[in-house]
Amino acid sequence: MNVLPNLAPLGAFVRHPRNHPTYLGYLNGFIYGFGMGASILFPLYAIDQGFSLASQGFIVAAPGIVMIMLRLIGGALSDRFGEKLTLRFSFTTVTIAMAIPIFSGTFLSLTVAQLFNGASRSVYWSAAQSYISRSAEGEAGKVMGRQLAFESSGGIIGGIVAGFVAEGIGYPQAFMMSTALSFVGFVVTSTLPRLPRKDQVRSFAASLAPAKTMLVKRTLLHAHMVAFISAAYAGLVMGLFIAFFHEVGYGEGATAVIRSLNSIGVSVLAFFFGALLGFLGSRTTAMSAITLTGLLSIGIGATGTIPILPAVFMALTGITFGSLRSLYPTLAAENSAPNQRAMALSVVGLYWAVGIFLSPLVFGFIADASSIRTAIFIFGGLSVAVGLLSPLLYAFGRRGLPPEGEEEEAARSARSTS
């Protein structure tokens, strides 16, 4: 009896999807997440081709080059012309990225494909997060967390399917499947309704202008740090951890399953992130998640040859990483005006881009010079140190501002009287 009311919003969305932009944004995120999950094919293909760890690291890091270059431009374009145009560009470039390896698996072709992949990622997150947060103003933590849950769920399916297709049929066929799904995402993106925007900037230069201040804005420093550390971990998950599991004897399909356990943790946590953030607050959430991510990474490296334990640790790091992955865009959204939302998300995302570029390169070279396990241990130790010190940066960023709980209560009161 109680199930039918819960299904009513879903039925209304199916009948008239454009009347429910938040749900349409979730669907869009699921499809994009599938493509990101299928990106596991790039490091797996590089391993299959016999490239060195340093070369593998460069292929994994290649998207970061374009992400750094285009991140702010993507945010400015979204604020000036709307998120829909930016999302179309994102799905177009990821479709091209997935299509290139169908024809060639050389180091150069995989690198070029990853550059297109980076062009897609550089603009997708700020545009998608801006769209979803503006579709439900005042509920950023809730809707952005759920959006990440849908993206992660798509990543779970995409990673597993792509891994087994590559192992059972071949890499060209796996990339062909991913190309087709990415194009479907472009079609879905074309159905997104435009959202009204108050005080919209009148020029591209005006939309880009706040970036300089936001890069060093004190209230965003905590978000910058969270974005950088979470990206550093994500860079290892997309590269070094995959090489590690392959080194200890897992095939493409098994590696994809273990990698997807991480996405399961992200998906579960992200769906309930709003409640978690309300309970712990951003300071404790960041400190706990960064510290635990480091400790669990050390656990993965220490138990790599032991059955089950690495998979359990991988799932748990998904929960801690999911906290960080949901936290930094939420902090950016909460500390920005609606007409500058995409730019704030882009600026914070720039720190993510730098982290995801440097992490595979630095730790790839460390792994080449020593071992994969040593590189994982070093990352884990650094994460623990950053996590324990993060409250100091949080306190600096909020100096002179109301306590976190009081500020949220004031915002709720303002919304209730407006």
Side-chain angles (χ1 to χ4, degrees):
M1 295 292 293
N2 295 328
V3 176
L4 294 180
N6 294 330
L7 294 178
L10 180 60
F13 166 63
V14 172
R15 291 191 299 272
H16 305 286
R18 287 175 59 84
N19 294 336
H20 302 271
T22 302
Y23 289 95
L24 200 57
Y26 292 156
L27 175 60
N28 199 54
F30 178 86
I31 297 173
Y32 194 81
F34 186 99
M36 289 300 96
S39 292
I40 192 177
L41 292 170
F42 288 101
L44 286 175
Y45 204 8
I47 294 171
D48 184 71
Q49 297 293 83
F51 299 146
S52 67
L53 287 171
S55 296
Q56 294 173 36
F58 186 84
I59 291 173
V60 172
I65 300 173
V66 187
M67 290 169 71
I68 294 171
M69 295 169 58
L70 296 183
R71 179 72 73 167
L72 299 183
I73 294 175
L77 288 173
S78 293
D79 281 338
R80 174 63 185 89
F81 299 105
E83 298 92 346
K84 186 173 179 177
L85 175 67
T86 308
L87 289 172
R88 280 177 171 171
F89 171 82
S90 178
F91 275 96
T92 299
T93 49
V94 75
T95 301
I96 295 172
M98 291 299 180
I100 291 175
I102 296 173
F103 308 100
S104 175
T106 65
F107 174 81
L108 179 60
S109 63
L110 292 181
T111 300
V112 171
Q114 283 285 68
L115 293 176
F116 277 99
N117 211 349
S120 174
R121 296 187 208 174
S122 66
V123 300
Y124 170 80
W125 303 112
S126 57
Q129 291 162 354
S130 173
Y131 187 91
I132 205 75
S133 68
R134 293 199 308 111
S135 74
E137 283 289 356
E139 298 183 325
K142 175 183 175 182
V143 297
M144 294 172 82
R146 291 187 176 181
Q147 179 192 39
L148 178 57
F150 277 94
E151 290 166 350
S152 299
S153 298
I156 294 167
I157 298 173
I160 293 176
V161 172
F164 278 106
V165 171
E167 186 175 9
I169 304 177
Y171 282 96
Q173 291 78 8
F175 278 110
M176 191 178 300
M177 172 206 67
S178 302
T179 301
L181 264 294
S182 297
F183 180 75
V184 171
F186 175 84
V187 175
V188 172
T189 297
S190 299
T191 68
L192 290 174
R194 292 179 63 89
L195 299 178
R197 187 191 302 268
K198 295 181 180 178
D199 302 322
Q200 183 170 343
V201 292
R202 297 299 181 183
S203 68
F204 176 78
S207 65
L208 191 60
K212 183 178 179 180
T213 301
M214 290 178 177
L215 283 169
V216 293
K217 188 177 181 181
R218 187 159 52 88
T219 54
L220 287 174
L221 290 179
H222 193 234
H224 295 338
M225 181 274 297
V226 173
F228 182 86
I229 294 299
S230 59
Y233 170 76
L236 295 189
V237 169
M238 293 188 297
L240 203 61
F241 277 115
I242 291 173
F244 176 70
F245 285 115
H246 195 273
E247 182 181 71
V248 296
Y250 293 91
E252 284 88 345
T255 300
V257 170
I258 293 177
R259 165 66 180 83
S260 294
L261 290 175
N262 186 265
S263 297
I264 291 175
V266 173
S267 182
V268 171
L269 185 283
F271 198 83
F272 300 101
F273 175 74
L276 177 69
L277 184 61
F279 180 71
L280 294 179
S282 60
R283 178 183 61 180
T284 303
T285 300
M287 180 183 66
S288 303
I290 295 172
T291 304
L292 288 173
T293 297
L295 292 173
L296 290 167
S297 296
I298 293 173
I300 292 172
T303 62
T305 57
I306 301 175
I308 299 177
L309 274 181
V312 172
F313 287 146
M314 201 69 178
L316 291 175
T317 56
I319 294 176
T320 60
F321 169 67
S323 301
L324 301 174
R325 180 64 182 77
S326 300
L327 179 59
Y328 82 79
T330 300
L331 292 173
E334 291 177 345
N335 288 279
S336 63
N339 65 318
Q340 296 180 350
R341 183 68 45 78
M343 178 51 64
L345 289 163
S346 295
V347 169
V348 176
L350 182 62
Y351 285 81
W352 166 279
V354 173
I356 210 166
F357 171 68
L358 291 178
S359 174
L361 285 180
V362 172
F363 290 100
F365 281 112
I366 292 174
D368 252 349
S370 53
S371 68
I372 299 178
R373 183 175 274 109
T374 299
I376 292 174
F377 287 160
I378 292 174
F379 167 78
L382 289 174
S383 294
V384 171
V386 171
L388 294 177
L389 293 173
S390 65
L392 299 177
L393 183 61
Y394 172 86
F396 174 75
R398 296 191 63 81
R399 185 184 300 168
L401 297 177
E404 191 173 4
E406 293 181 15
E407 189 174 33
E408 292 173 354
E409 181 61 34
R412 283 194 294 269
S413 298
R415 287 196 299 269
S416 65
T417 57
S418 60

